[in-house]
């Protein structure tokens, strides 16, 4: 078994756990913000929250798979650790940036709603 295969076997469960756990937390806790934004319209909030969750999963699964496609050939355990650390760290930073962008957009929409 090559070292790349070992890295994939380590990477896939870790990234799957991170993606699904974070997505579920966003889904559950983000409903409060959406309820405030859409004047407690439960049907609309549920639909938008489901669409956001699906979009989140699709985007992250695609990014995780593309990341695997561009991995270099690994030749040592140190290469595995470096590659996993860099890849997982990059994905976590991208998730954080996406989250804060969504919060800023919701804040902007809410501010515009209050001004009108």
């Amino acid at each position: 078994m090559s070292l790349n295969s070992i890295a994939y076997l380590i990477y896939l469960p870790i990234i799957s756990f991170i993606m699904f756990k974070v997505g579920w937390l966003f889904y559950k806790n983000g409903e409060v913000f959406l309820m405030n934004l859409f004047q407690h319209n439960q049907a609309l909030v549920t639909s938008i929250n489901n669409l956001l969750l699906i979009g989140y999963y699709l985007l992250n699964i695609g990014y995780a798979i593309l990341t695997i496609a561009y991995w270099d050939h690994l030749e040592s355990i140190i290469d595995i650790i470096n590659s996993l650390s860099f890849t997982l760290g990059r994905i976590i930073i991208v998730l954080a940036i996406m989250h804060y962008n969504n919060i800023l957009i919701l804040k902007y929409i809410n501010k515009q709603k209050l001004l009108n």
Side-chain angles (χ1 to χ4, degrees), residues 93-110:
I93 289 172
V94 168
L95 288 175
I97 290 169
M98 285 174 37
H99 172 66
Y100 284 113
N101 283 338
N102 285 339
I103 295 296
L104 289 174
I105 290 168
L106 288 175
K107 185 176 179 179
Y108 176 76
I109 290 171
N110 198 23

Side-chain angles (χ1 to χ4, degrees), residues 22-116:
V22 169
W24 188 250
L25 287 172
F26 286 166
Y27 177 77
K28 283 299 187 189
N29 298 319
E31 189 172 349
V32 175
F33 296 105
L34 292 174
M35 286 293 262
N36 181 35
L37 185 63
F38 294 109
Q39 290 110 15
H40 301 284
N41 183 347
Q42 183 64 43
L44 181 61
V45 166
T46 302
S47 297
I48 289 174
N49 210 15
N50 288 336
L51 287 173
L52 286 171
L53 182 65
I54 290 168
Y56 168 85
Y57 284 152
L58 289 175
L59 182 68
N60 285 297
I61 290 169
Y63 186 71
I65 291 170
L66 279 175
T67 300
I68 289 175
Y70 290 106
W71 267 1
D72 293 331
H73 180 70
L74 304 175
E75 299 193 14
S76 70
I77 299 297
I78 301 298
D79 287 343
I80 291 175
I81 294 170
N82 286 337
S83 183
L84 286 172
S85 300
F86 180 76
T87 304
L88 291 170
R90 185 176 52 197
I91 289 175
I92 291 169
I93 289 172
V94 168
L95 288 175
I97 290 169
M98 285 174 37
H99 172 66
Y100 284 113
N101 283 338
N102 285 339
I103 295 296
L104 289 174
I105 290 168
L106 288 175
K107 185 176 179 179
Y108 176 76
I109 290 171
N110 198 23
K111 184 178 178 182
Q112 291 300 318
K113 182 182 78 170
L114 292 174
L115 292 176
N116 292 332

